[in-house]
Amino acid sequence: MTTSIDELQKIELAVPKADITLKNIINTLPKECFQQNRRKAWSKAAINLLLVSLGYAGIALSPWYLLPLAWIFTGTGLTGFFVIAHDCGHRSFAKRRWVNDLVGHLFMLPLIYPFHSWRIKHNHHHAYTNNLDRDNAWRPITPQEYESWGNIRQKVFQGFAVNRLWWLGSIAHWAMTHFNLDKFAAKDRSKVKLSITVVAIFAAIAFPTLIATVGLWGLVKFWLMPWLVYHFWMSTFTYVHHTAPDIAFVEDSKWQVAIAQLSGTVHCNYPCWVEFLCHDINVHVPHHISTAIPSYNLRLAYDSIQQNWGLYTHDECNFSWALMKQITDTCHLYKPETGYQSFDDYLALK
């Protein structure tokens, strides 16, 4: 059942907040959901490495007309790299922190993504999911915020939304956030500097080597195009996980963590090959209930949540152009009282 904004308000009135806590939800999950399995974790990493290697071999051997297929396969496999690093960032890949940090850094290297920068910002998103004032992952823009911007920034944002450029969103987030030390607390900056240094050294070696051996076209062919595919999936997963016309973002003073994690996270079904290469990251509701659940246990946890807490979860959806069109046509600006509105609706009311 879809939980609309009005229904959320009724739920908050009908059910005592103390009865809907993350602890209550977690206690209903099978204990197996939280058990780390070394064999599963490392075999998924090994399979991912093998498939991405095959993807690069396909890029090297494919005639020009098959290159898009090779790029899509390889870029999707690289998204699986990110999901493995994602488990590492939540300490659910291995029991030892240094193993998580090492594997996380290694699997993010081809993506030029600073591991600790992402980990710290991403944990903030989990702490304040669908909090209109504090969430930092695809938080919607209110009309008041939009009106406070300058004309150029408004035009850029409007063009981004209307022209369905959601797939560039994670590139902007990556570039503007994860290399900027000013966006991190002083206590975190040493780790952020370490991760930035690691990817900078990798880029300083890998990019000139690619150019020297296969030329500028080789850099585009072997790195840039798969990297863009990775960002397409990164942007799409993030966007769809928390965006729908009836998804509620709540002001900080009214925000309730358990309701937000259950009803503000969308389960979207993707083609099976995408789900396999990306380690079921689309099964996202349980991940927002507890980040301690490894990716290979997400489906088990989701089945339990649906049985016990299905009243509060959003309807499942299937990835399609129709879905993306619905979101990108409707979810432009956000008013806490009424929800999302399109730019056409916003302009009609002015």
Side-chain angles (χ1 to χ4, degrees):
M1 182 183 72
T2 299
T3 308
S4 67
I5 294 170
D6 290 340
E7 288 168 335
L8 273 174
Q9 292 172 345
K10 291 176 184 177
I11 288 169
E12 289 180 359
L13 291 172
V15 182
K17 290 186 177 181
D19 289 348
I20 311 175
T21 66
L22 287 179
K23 184 177 180 180
N24 293 152
I25 301 167
I26 289 170
N27 285 341
T28 66
L29 296 176
K31 289 183 171 54
E32 294 86 348
C33 294
F34 302 95
Q35 292 176 358
Q36 293 183 13
N37 185 308
R38 187 181 302 176
R39 179 186 59 79
K40 288 182 179 179
W42 286 104
S43 63
K44 281 182 174 288
I47 291 170
N48 215 159
L49 279 168
L50 174 61
L51 292 174
V52 169
S53 298
L54 289 174
Y56 281 122
I59 292 173
L61 299 173
S62 292
W64 65 268
Y65 52 84
L66 291 180
L67 276 175
L69 294 177
W71 288 332
I72 291 170
F73 179 84
T74 307
T76 308
L78 288 172
T79 310
F81 274 27
F82 180 87
V83 177
I84 289 170
H86 177 270
D87 273 11
C88 292
H90 289 304
R91 313 307 188 192
S92 62
F93 180 84
K95 295 185 184 299
R96 291 182 173 84
R97 177 166 294 192
W98 71 267
V99 176
N100 285 306
D101 286 349
L102 176 62
V103 175
H105 277 90
L106 290 174
F107 273 80
M108 280 194 171
L109 279 181
L111 311 173
I112 314 299
Y113 225 120
F115 173 71
H116 284 308
S117 301
W118 167 82
R119 179 182 62 80
I120 292 163
K121 288 297 181 184
H122 185 67
N123 283 335
H124 182 90
H125 160 62
H126 274 277
Y128 300 104
T129 302
N130 286 48
N131 184 311
L132 188 59
D133 301 311
R134 306 179 75 173
D135 196 352
N136 66 343
W138 229 295
R139 179 182 61 83
I141 305 301
T142 65
Q144 292 81 5
E145 186 176 0
Y146 174 76
E147 290 164 3
S148 71
W149 293 347
N151 186 256
I152 294 177
R153 188 176 180 186
Q154 285 183 352
K155 293 295 184 185
V156 170
F157 177 74
Q158 190 169 345
F160 180 91
V162 172
N163 294 316
R164 300 194 178 97
L165 299 177
W166 85 88
W167 50 276
L168 294 174
S170 68
I171 296 178
H173 187 67
W174 165 81
M176 293 188 296
T177 301
H178 295 91
F179 296 89
N180 186 348
L181 291 175
D182 292 337
K183 293 186 177 292
F184 296 88
K187 65 183 178 63
D188 296 321
R189 288 178 185 170
S190 61
K191 290 184 177 180
V192 172
K193 287 179 183 178
L194 170 65
S195 293
I196 292 173
T197 301
V198 168
V199 297
I201 291 172
F202 176 82
I205 295 171
F207 291 169
T209 300
L210 270 174
I211 293 170
T213 54
V214 290
L216 281 173
W217 169 238
L219 179 63
V220 171
K221 179 178 172 181
F222 286 100
W223 181 77
L224 180 61
M225 298 308 294
W227 184 78
L228 290 175
V229 172
Y230 151 71
H231 274 290
F232 168 84
W233 287 122
M234 182 74 170
S235 298
T236 300
F237 288 148
T238 306
Y239 195 24
V240 174
H241 279 160
H242 300 289
T243 311
D246 56 350
I247 284 287
F249 278 76
V250 183
E251 294 167 308
D252 192 45
S253 60
K254 301 176 181 177
W255 181 76
Q256 185 186 354
V257 59
I259 291 292
Q261 307 292 15
L262 277 173
S263 64
T265 307
V266 179
H267 177 103
C268 182
N269 299 303
Y270 291 81
C272 59
W273 65 273
V274 175
E275 297 188 352
F276 176 76
L277 285 172
C278 298
H279 309 297
D280 290 329
I281 193 61
N282 59 298
V283 186
H284 210 60
V285 179
H287 177 63
H288 270 270
I289 299 304
S290 173
T291 58
I293 301 173
S295 57
Y296 44 81
N297 289 335
L298 289 174
R299 290 194 180 275
L300 174 64
Y302 182 67
D303 289 343
S304 174
I305 289 169
Q306 285 297 91
Q307 290 174 13
N308 295 294
W309 303 94
L311 171 65
Y312 304 101
T313 60
H314 193 276
D315 272 344
E316 292 185 13
C317 60
N318 296 315
F319 177 68
S320 66
W321 173 247
L323 172 68
M324 300 312 298
K325 186 177 185 300
Q326 179 195 35
I327 294 173
T328 54
D329 282 351
T330 308
C331 303
H332 296 159
L333 298 172
Y334 190 87
K335 298 180 70 174
E337 307 83 16
T338 56
Y340 278 106
Q341 63 179 169
S342 68
F343 275 116
D344 287 344
D345 292 337
Y346 165 75
L347 294 172
L349 294 171
K350 284 186 68 66

